[in-house]
Amino acid sequence: MARLGRDRTPVLFAVTTSVLSGVVLAVLTKGLQLGISAGATLGWAALVSAVVAVAFWAAFAVKTRKGPKAAFLMTSAFEQKYYVAALVQQVHRALDREDIDLVLKVPDRDYDAGAQAHHLRRIASKKHCYLGGIVVAGEVARLREDLAAFCRASRLPVVFSDLEPFPTESEYPDHTAFIGYDTGELGELAGQWLVGQLRGRDRPGVLIIASREHDSRQKRCEKVLRSALPDVDVTTDDRCEFVRSRACSAVRAHLRHWEAGRRLDAIFCTNDEMALGALDALATTASAATRDTVVISVDGVLEARTLIDTGDSPLRATVVQDAHRLAVGAVDLLVKMHRGDAVPRRTILNAELYEGG
């Protein structure tokens, strides 16, 4: 409605003039038919016209003040991403409770900075349509300048999540904030759980199935393992891009070349979908090395938690990123910034380990 007020004011003025002219003519005609003097009739016409004009422009002003009632959500990935789908659903619900519509922007290709930059340009060209938005950025090193330029040009409130796009708080543009989990801490929690499972075993073997996005998850996990278990044997494959089928293929490939007589004690997958792929591989590949393999992952999506609850799956734990809590927090920050309230620049949520009942 803000754009309507700027662009169509002359048209609305013409419509108002036409309406008031009709009111004056109608009052004059009726007054003369009833034998009322022309002076009195003109007075009544002026009074009625004033009331109509005030009511019309007051209604228009109220609509104009309301401004846009839509927010954008731009994700870094979408295809076959259960956690992203859950986050979108939770953001939609949180915005709907605030009477705000959601406009979803997803990249043509997952984790493509160029595709996200394209969406930023599209949003900036229609910034009058939005009260602000939430950005889940990928390839942040490549996208950082585009994000900063977008924020400066649009001056829209923006809440970042998932990966922090700027190294320090001082580099965040005005009207922006971050809420999310410390992605390295997620890997650290997984590493601590693995230490508890593997302590006392001779030369435990661990396979880490990962992506180059969020690489601090696998790095922090490996650091914890090597610090607590000096003889641990860790192999990391970071080519799986958070995709279930890629993880399945990777685990199968590693098992084909696994050293004879060597155990695969544990697999850490840096998201739940890759863990499901690892389970597919374990279920279809007969190997003495995987007889007692345990799996841990990250996200806490429903399918993963359900498998953990059965107690029959190698998947024994997941580090939970609570999509509901994240969405509610992001929308709260966005609404407050839209109102002009001060908000913290960075909000780091505490992750929890889910091991089932």
Side-chain angles (χ1 to χ4, degrees):
M1 291 304 297
R3 187 180 185 184
L4 177 66
R6 290 194 301 269
D7 297 344
R8 299 186 182 179
T9 298
V11 175
L12 291 167
F13 181 80
V15 171
T16 306
T17 303
S18 177
V19 170
L20 294 181
S21 298
V23 170
V24 171
L25 181 60
V27 173
L28 282 172
T29 301
K30 191 66 176 178
L32 293 174
Q33 288 176 349
L34 296 175
I36 301 173
S37 66
T41 302
L42 283 171
W44 278 106
L47 178 61
V48 172
S49 298
V51 171
V52 171
V54 169
F56 182 89
W57 284 100
F60 171 66
V62 168
K63 287 186 177 181
T64 301
R65 283 197 303 271
K66 285 183 179 178
K69 295 296 290 182
F72 63 85
L73 169 59
M74 187 178 79
T75 68
S76 58
F78 192 76
E79 187 176 357
Q80 299 181 40
K81 299 293 185 290
Y82 296 160
Y83 181 76
V84 174
L87 180 62
V88 170
Q89 182 182 46
Q90 294 298 335
V91 168
H92 175 266
R93 289 177 178 173
L95 287 171
D96 191 61
R97 287 192 289 269
E98 298 288 343
D99 194 28
I100 299 171
D101 293 326
L102 172 64
V103 177
L104 179 62
K105 299 288 186 180
V106 300
D108 295 334
R109 181 181 176 185
D110 287 354
Y111 309 112
D112 185 339
Q116 288 201 298
H118 166 74
H119 283 312
L120 290 173
R121 292 190 292 271
R122 291 288 303 277
I123 294 168
S125 70
K126 298 181 179 180
K127 62 182 181 181
H128 56 272
C129 298
Y130 304 105
L131 56 80
I134 300 168
V135 172
V136 179
E139 290 194 303
V140 293
R142 288 183 55 199
L143 194 62
R144 186 170 295 129
E145 290 186 9
D146 293 289
L147 290 170
F150 167 78
C151 293
R152 289 193 299 266
S154 71
R155 297 191 62 78
L156 290 171
V158 174
V159 178
F160 296 106
S161 190
D162 202 32
L163 281 174
E164 290 197 67
F166 302 101
T168 64
E169 289 191 25
S170 62
E171 294 179 68
Y172 275 72
D174 293 337
H175 317 296
T176 66
F178 172 84
I179 184 170
Y181 293 87
D182 181 330
T183 191
E185 182 188 4
L186 302 176
E188 188 170 324
L189 286 173
Q192 291 168 355
W193 183 87
L194 285 169
V195 168
Q197 298 292 312
L198 304 177
R199 195 183 296 279
R201 299 191 188 186
D202 179 45
R203 197 186 170 214
V206 178
L207 174 61
I208 298 179
I209 299 296
S211 169
R212 294 185 176 95
E213 287 285 313
H214 299 286
D215 62 351
S216 59
R217 293 182 187 179
Q218 57 261 34
K219 290 177 180 177
R220 291 271 288 276
C221 178
E222 183 172 349
K223 183 178 179 180
V224 169
L225 287 171
R226 294 194 183 282
S227 175
L229 306 170
D231 63 342
V232 69
D233 191 348
V234 180
T235 302
T236 298
D237 188 333
D238 65 359
R239 300 168 296 174
C240 298
E241 297 183 357
F242 295 137
V243 176
R244 179 171 181 164
S245 59
R246 283 178 174 268
C248 180
S249 298
V251 172
R252 284 175 177 167
H254 283 284
L255 288 175
R256 282 196 299 269
H257 298 92
W258 208 253
E259 180 184 333
R262 179 182 167 204
R263 298 185 319 273
L264 177 57
D265 294 282
I267 302 176
F268 169 46
C269 298
T270 56
N271 86 332
D272 284 341
E273 286 169 63
M274 292 192 298
L276 298 176
L279 296 180
D280 294 337
L282 293 175
T284 56
T285 305
S287 173
T290 61
R291 186 175 296 114
D292 298 313
T293 301
V294 296
V295 180
I296 182 172
S297 57
V298 172
D299 279 342
V301 301
L302 178 60
E303 186 173 355
R305 288 185 281 114
T306 300
L307 283 172
I308 292 168
D309 287 342
T310 66
D312 298 326
S313 168
L315 182 61
R316 302 294 174 80
T318 181
V319 183
V320 178
Q321 297 188 93
D322 189 330
H324 171 75
R325 186 181 176 197
L326 183 58
V328 170
V331 170
D332 180 61
L333 287 171
L334 181 63
V335 170
K336 286 179 178 176
M337 285 195 291
H338 176 63
R339 290 199 307 247
D341 297 345
V343 300
R345 184 71 79 190
R346 296 172 70 249
T347 302
I348 305 299
L349 304 176
N350 293 322
E352 297 180 354
L353 190 70
Y354 186 87
E355 296 182 89

